[in-house]
Amino acid sequence: MKQITKYIIRNDLKRLFTYRLCLIGFKRKGFDRVYSYNLGEEAGVTAEQVRKDFSVFKIKGNKKGGYKINDLLRSIEEIFKYQHNQHVILVGMGNIGRALVQYKRFILRKMIIVASFDIDPSKQSKRFGIPVLPMDMMSEIINKFHVKVAILAVPEISAQDAANKLVDKGITGILNFAPVILKVPDEIIVNNINLCDELESVIYYTQKVM
Amino acid sequence: MKQITKYIIRNDLKRLFTYRLCLIGFKRKGFDRVYSYNLGEEAGVTAEQVRKDFSVFKIKGNKKGGYKINDLLRSIEEIFKYQHNQHVILVGMGNIGRALVQYKRFILRKMIIVASFDIDPSKQSKRFGIPVLPMDMMSEIINKFHVKVAILAVPEISAQDAANKLVDKGITGILNFAPVILKVPDEIIVNNINLCDELESVIYYTQKVM
DNA sequence: TATATTTTGTGATTTGTTTCACATTATATT
DNA sequence: AATATAATGTGAAACAAATCACAAAATATA
Ligand SMILES: NC(=O)c1ccc[n+]([C@@H]2O[C@H](COP(=O)([O-])OP(=O)(O)OC[C@H]3O[C@@H](n4cnc5c(N)ncnc54)[C@H](O)[C@@H]3O)[C@@H](O)[C@H]2O)c1
Ligand SMILES: NC(=O)c1ccc[n+]([C@@H]2O[C@H](COP(=O)([O-])OP(=O)(O)OC[C@H]3O[C@@H](n4cnc5c(N)ncnc54)[C@H](O)[C@@H]3O)[C@@H](O)[C@H]2O)c1
C-alpha cells in the first residue's frame, strides 16, 4: 500500500552510500583520515549533515582528529551487513538482464547473482558465466542458495506475473526495472528503477533550473 | 557543490512520474476519470498528497467530478515538455550502453538517443539502429541535433574524463551510470544512477524492516 | 428549485529534516 | 603542564514536507 514512501531509498541511506564512494576515492588518493567538511564538500552536503548522519547511525569519530577512513568504511559496511555474500537471482535475460548479470561491481559488493531465469528456452545457456534456467527451476535455486532478493527485468506485461511467482517462492525483496506498479503484500520490499523517469528528470532540470 | 540534494529527483517529481504510470494503468483498464483517493491508493500515498502535488503544479480537477484521466496526463506531459522530441547522446557502448540504446520506451517518451560514442573502434558500427561514432564526432552531432543531455556509461576510470568532454562540448545534463562523483560546474545537472546502491538497499530493507 | 452529498483545493497544523550553535574533547603549541 | 586550537557530537532552532480540516463547488436527489 505505502509503495512510494516505503520503497524508495531513504535520503540518509543514499548519503551513506555516497560517503562510502567518496571515502574510497580519498583512500585511493592516499588519505587515511578525513574531517566532516572534507566528506561534505566531496559529497555535496554540509559538514553538519555528515556528522548528524553519522550520529544517527552511531558512527563515532575522533574530536580534533576527524575520522579514520578505514574505520568509517568498516562502520558503513557494518550497517549494510558486509560480512557474508548476499545471494540474488535475476528474472528476464533480455537487454538489461544481460548487462546486469555481467556487472562485476555487484560481486565486489558481495552481491552474487547465483542464477537467472527466462521463459525463452533460447536464452537458457551458460554463456554469461552464470546459469540461465527455465522458470520451473526457481524454487530449487531459491531454496538451495537461501535467496531473498530478486532482480526483475522482464517486459512490463509479464512483470506482475513474474513478481507473483517470486513472492510465492519466498522472495521478500525485488529490484524492479519494469515501469509497472507491482501489487505485492505489504511486507515485500520493492525498489522501482525507472530509467525513463531518471532521464526525463535530467531533461526537466536542464530546462528549468538554468 | 550541492551535488546530492541538487541532483536527485525531487520526491514530488518522482510522485508525478508515478501518478502518470498509474493513470496509464487506469486508462488501460477502461476508466476515464479518477478521484484523488484512487490515484493515492494506487500510488501508495494519501489522497491529500495527490491533491497537494497537483495544487503545487497548478493542475486543476473538478469538484465532485474528480479528474479526467486524459486531461491529467496532458497536464503532466505539459510539465515535462512533451510537445517536441528531446535529443540525447550516449557515451560508452558497453554492456549497459547497448541495453539502453535498444530501450524502446525512451522513444515512446520522446527521448531520442540520436547517436552513441565509444573510443573502441570495434564498437563503431550501425548494428544497434543508431550510429556508434568515434569521440571526435561528438561536437558535430551535439551541434547538429542541439543535444543538451547525455547518458554516461563508460568505465569508472574514464567517467570524469568523458564528463569533462561532454561539458566542454555544451552538454548541460548527464545521466551518469558510473559509480563516481563527477566534478562538474555548478550549473550542470548530474543524475547519478548507482545500481549497486539500489540493489544493496533492497537487501538492507529486507533484513531490517521485517 | 432546494437540499444533500461528494470531492476538490488549500490555509493551518503537525511531523520530519537540516542547519545552527556551542559544549566537549583530542591534539598542538608554548 | 597550561593554554590555544580545531574538530566532533548533539540539543535547539529553522525550515520543509505531509497531513488535517474544512470551505467551496459540482453533481445528484427529492
Ligand atoms: N533495455 C533497457 O535498457 C531497459 C532500461 C530500463 C528498463 N527496462 C525494463 O526492463 C524490462 C526488460 O527490458 P529489456 O529491454 O531487457 O527487454 P527484453 O525484451 O530484451 O528482455 C525481456 C526478457 O524477459 C523474458 N521474459 C518475458 N516474459 C517472461 C516471464 N514471464 N518470465 C521470465 N522471463 C520472461 C524474455 O524472454 C526476454 O529474454 C522491461 O520491463 C523494460 O521496460 C529496460
Ligand atoms: N553493466 C551493468 O549492468 C552496469 C550497471 C550499473 C552501472 N554500470 C556502470 O556503467 C559503466 C559501464 O559499464 P559496462 O558494464 O557497460 O562496462 P563495459 O566495459 O561493458 O563498457 C564500457 C564501454 O565504454 C567504452 N569506453 C571506455 N572508455 C571510454 C571513453 N573514455 N570514452 C568513450 N567510451 C569509452 C568502452 O570501449 C566500452 O565499450 C561502468 O561505470 C559501470 O560501473 C554498469
Side-chain angles (χ1 to χ4, degrees):
Chain A
M1 196 63 81
K2 281 210 90 219
Q3 286 226 21
I4 296 184
T5 35
K6 178 175 157 198
Y7 298 156
I8 56 166
I9 307 183
R10 291 195 326 253
N11 285 340
D12 56 349
L13 268 201
K14 181 126 190 156
R15 286 198 302 269
L16 223 48
F17 286 129
T18 306
Y19 299 151
R20 178 171 55 186
L21 210 53
C22 297
L23 287 167
I24 291 166
F26 281 129
K27 200 173 159 180
R28 202 170 3 230
K29 282 181 195 148
F31 295 98
D32 69 329
R33 307 190 140 273
V34 278
Y35 302 122
S36 54
Y37 55 83
N38 301 134
L39 252 184
E41 176 149 357
E42 188 74 6
V45 297
T46 63
E48 295 79 12
Q49 181 76 77
V50 173
R51 296 203 299 278
K52 192 64 140 189
D53 284 336
F54 288 169
S55 164
V56 167
F57 286 104
K58 305 266 182 292
I59 295 174
K60 300 280 172 195
N62 184 311
K63 293 194 184 188
K64 177 103 186 205
Y67 304 85
K68 269 209 84 185
I69 289 178
N70 281 334
D71 290 357
L72 260 187
L73 282 170
R74 212 170 304 117
S75 299
I76 292 175
E77 288 181 2
E78 183 74 21
I79 292 166
F80 296 111
K81 288 248 171 38
Y82 268 76
Q83 298 77 358
H84 41 68
N85 288 345
Q86 296 293 337
H87 293 158
V88 172
I89 57 169
L90 185 144
V91 184
M93 276 298 270
N95 288 312
I96 191 84
R98 279 195 300 272
L100 293 170
V101 297
Q102 286 171 283
Y103 191 32
K104 293 147 300 285
R105 203 156 268 271
F106 286 140
I107 298 171
L108 290 177
R109 300 256 296 252
K110 302 195 181 165
M111 301 181 290
I112 318 291
I113 303 178
V114 291
S116 76
F117 299 89
D118 205 294
I119 39 161
D120 180 353
S122 75
K123 305 266 164 87
Q124 294 157 12
S125 75
K126 286 200 175 191
R127 262 173 301 143
F128 302 105
I130 61 156
V132 184
L133 306 171
M135 301 297 280
D136 57 20
M137 288 193 64
M138 207 191 268
S139 290
E140 192 185 320
I141 296 288
I142 287 177
N143 295 332
K144 183 170 167 194
F145 292 100
H146 307 101
V147 179
K148 288 278 154 219
V149 169
I151 301 172
L152 188 53
V154 301
E156 296 77 347
I157 192 86
S158 320
Q160 182 62 59
D161 203 60
N164 293 346
K165 281 208 187 78
L166 288 169
V167 171
D168 218 56
K169 291 174 172 47
I171 291 296
T172 58
I174 298 175
L175 184 65
N176 172 36
F177 283 87
V180 167
I181 308 280
L182 299 174
K183 299 277 194 314
V184 294
D186 264 8
E187 68 277 13
I188 308 295
I189 303 300
V190 178
N191 187 4
N192 293 306
I193 305 295
N194 193 319
L195 296 182
C196 282
D197 291 355
E198 301 290 347
L199 180 57
E200 194 157 7
S201 63
V202 176
I203 294 171
Y204 176 85
Y205 284 121
T206 57
Q207 295 184 352
K208 301 273 166 168
V209 174
M210 38 193 306
Chain B
M1 196 64 81
K2 282 210 91 219
Q3 285 225 24
I4 296 185
T5 35
K6 177 175 156 197
Y7 297 156
I8 56 165
I9 306 182
R10 289 195 328 251
N11 285 339
D12 56 348
L13 267 201
K14 180 127 190 154
R15 285 198 301 271
L16 222 49
F17 286 130
T18 306
Y19 298 151
R20 180 172 52 186
L21 211 52
C22 297
L23 288 167
I24 291 167
F26 281 129
K27 199 172 161 181
R28 202 167 5 226
K29 282 181 196 147
F31 294 98
D32 70 330
R33 308 190 139 272
V34 279
Y35 303 121
S36 54
Y37 55 84
N38 301 134
L39 252 184
E41 176 149 355
E42 188 74 6
V45 296
T46 63
E48 295 80 10
Q49 181 75 77
V50 173
R51 297 203 298 277
K52 192 64 141 188
D53 284 336
F54 289 169
S55 163
V56 166
F57 285 105
K58 306 266 182 294
I59 295 174
K60 300 281 173 194
N62 184 311
K63 296 193 181 185
K64 176 102 185 203
Y67 304 86
K68 271 209 81 183
I69 290 178
N70 282 334
D71 290 356
L72 260 187
L73 282 171
R74 212 169 305 118
S75 298
I76 292 175
E77 288 181 0
E78 182 75 20
I79 291 166
F80 297 111
K81 289 250 170 37
Y82 268 75
Q83 298 78 358
H84 40 70
N85 288 345
Q86 296 292 338
H87 292 158
V88 172
I89 57 169
L90 185 144
V91 184
M93 276 297 270
N95 289 311
I96 192 83
R98 277 196 301 273
L100 293 170
V101 297
Q102 284 171 284
Y103 192 32
K104 293 149 297 287
R105 203 155 269 272
F106 286 140
I107 297 170
L108 289 177
R109 298 256 297 253
K110 301 195 181 166
M111 302 181 288
I112 317 291
I113 303 178
V114 291
S116 75
F117 299 89
D118 205 295
I119 39 160
D120 180 353
S122 76
K123 306 265 164 86
Q124 295 156 12
S125 75
K126 287 202 174 189
R127 263 172 301 144
F128 303 104
I130 61 155
V132 184
L133 305 171
M135 303 296 282
D136 57 20
M137 288 192 65
M138 208 191 265
S139 289
E140 190 185 321
I141 296 289
I142 287 177
N143 294 334
K144 182 169 167 195
F145 292 100
H146 307 101
V147 179
K148 289 276 152 222
V149 169
I151 301 172
L152 187 54
V154 300
E156 297 78 346
I157 191 86
S158 320
Q160 182 62 59
D161 201 61
N164 293 346
K165 283 208 186 78
L166 288 168
V167 171
D168 218 57
K169 292 175 171 46
I171 291 298
T172 58
I174 298 175
L175 184 66
N176 172 36
F177 283 87
V180 167
I181 309 281
L182 299 174
K183 299 276 194 313
V184 294
D186 265 9
E187 68 277 13
I188 307 295
I189 303 300
V190 177
N191 187 3
N192 293 306
I193 306 296
N194 191 320
L195 296 182
C196 282
D197 291 355
E198 301 290 347
L199 180 57
E200 195 156 7
S201 63
V202 175
I203 294 171
Y204 175 87
Y205 284 121
T206 57
Q207 296 185 350
K208 302 274 166 167
V209 174
M210 36 191 308

